[in-house]
Amino acid sequence: MTSTNPTPAPIRLLRTDDLLDLRFSFPGLRLDASPFGRRTLQRADPAVEGRLVVDFGPQHLTEQAFFEAAPGLPAEGEPGAGEPGAGEPHPAPPVLAR
């Protein structure tokens, strides 16, 4: 005898090494558990396709950058070389991000 469950709840996976953020959902599928402890995903309705959906969360952020000169940078002879405070002006926070 096989027991069945409704569509499994979504599962979120957040990998701490690199902050990979995934969300798994299972529309049209159900979780079947055999008496031997093995679980499988099956179509909830054999006439309708089941899907395994993986949503990729935001993986990175790009922030607005500003040029700042440091002693010895840029190379001697280039504009702003070695001038304290040389570079482009910074706007007040917050800065742009995507």
Side-chain angles (χ1 to χ4, degrees), residues 5-28:
N5 294 323
T7 299
I11 297 171
R12 181 177 181 211
L13 171 83
L14 181 62
R15 188 168 59 192
T16 56
D17 290 344
D18 57 3
L19 298 180
L20 176 67
D21 187 5
L22 303 174
R23 182 178 173 270
F24 296 86
S25 57
F26 313 93

Side-chain angles (χ1 to χ4, degrees), residues 22-41:
L22 303 174
R23 182 178 173 270
F24 296 86
S25 57
F26 313 93
L29 297 174
R30 66 174 184 205
L31 189 61
D32 281 351
S34 75
F36 304 108
R38 175 176 252 181
R39 295 185 227 173
T40 59
L41 288 171

